[in-house]
Amino acid sequence: MPFPVEAETKPVTNPKAGKLSFSLPSTMESVSEIEAAAEKLAAEAGIDEDERFRITMAVREAAVNAVLHGNDYDPAKQVTASFENNGKSLIFTLADQGKGVDWENLPDPLAPENLLRGTGRGIFLIRSFMDEVHFRQLQPGTELTLVKHITPAPEQSQAS
């Protein structure tokens, strides 16, 4: 799969590979922890500030959806997060323990009847900010995987 144009024009310097996995209760404090971990991974990967903001916002939206819509703010239910830098992509996977979501039939937040609704923009933002978004139905719950492709900066060429 080819990288999007913006990935090709914004090379990353010094990407660090690694993986982080953790589970947290369904609270807004957990959303903040997930957001901070995503921002740290993107920073360590050498992502510029603007792109880091978009990545962090997408991960935050996914975490809010897991806590609020997936687990109904039930702190007894966990949100599981797995973040990885494989050198080519940043991969953020979040899962809840809720009843699941019909992601193929989510309302369009740009439709006139939905413009003034206070909810429904999270998945739209996630899809706008990330290169790939994958949903998977769990038993119970929903897993959402967000992928942002990164392009390492070319090696500095030696002067001839």
Side-chain angles (χ1 to χ4, degrees):
M1 174 173 214
F3 290 118
V5 172
E6 64 267 10
E8 293 174 20
T9 59
K10 293 185 178 179
V12 175
T13 56
N14 208 12
K16 293 182 183 176
K19 186 169 185 173
L20 171 68
S21 297
F22 52 95
S23 291
L24 297 168
S26 294
T27 64
M28 288 312 290
E29 291 80 18
S30 296
V31 169
S32 295
E33 288 184 48
I34 291 168
E35 179 181 20
E39 204 281 333
K40 183 174 189 256
L41 182 74
E44 288 174 351
I47 304 292
D48 72 58
E49 188 176 348
D50 289 341
E51 193 62 24
R52 255 193 343 256
F53 173 80
R54 288 186 284 275
I55 291 168
T56 302
M57 176 66 72
V59 172
R60 178 179 179 79
E61 288 294 330
V64 166
N65 284 348
V67 167
L68 175 64
H69 301 297
N71 290 343
D72 293 321
Y73 274 126
D74 182 350
K77 292 182 179 177
Q78 298 285 302
V79 174
T80 303
S82 174
F83 297 171
E84 180 179 8
N85 175 352
N86 66 13
K88 294 181 181 180
S89 300
L90 299 181
I91 304 163
F92 305 91
T93 303
L94 290 98
D96 62 56
Q97 297 176 318
K99 60 188 175 307
V101 64
D102 181 5
W103 57 84
E104 293 180 6
N105 293 307
L106 294 171
D108 177 3
L110 300 179
E113 66 272 15
N114 296 327
L115 287 178
L116 298 178
R117 289 183 62 202
T119 61
R121 291 173 182 77
I123 297 296
F124 176 80
L125 287 173
I126 292 167
R127 287 179 169 149
S128 298
F129 291 157
M130 302 303 282
D131 295 320
E132 297 178 37
V133 179
H134 306 280
F135 290 88
R136 188 165 70 108
Q137 193 63 51
L138 306 175
Q139 301 298 326
T142 301
E143 178 183 85
L144 183 58
T145 300
L146 316 177
V147 180
K148 178 53 87 173
H149 300 299
I150 57 176
T151 304
E155 295 293 322
Q156 294 293 330
S157 60
Q158 298 292 329
S160 312

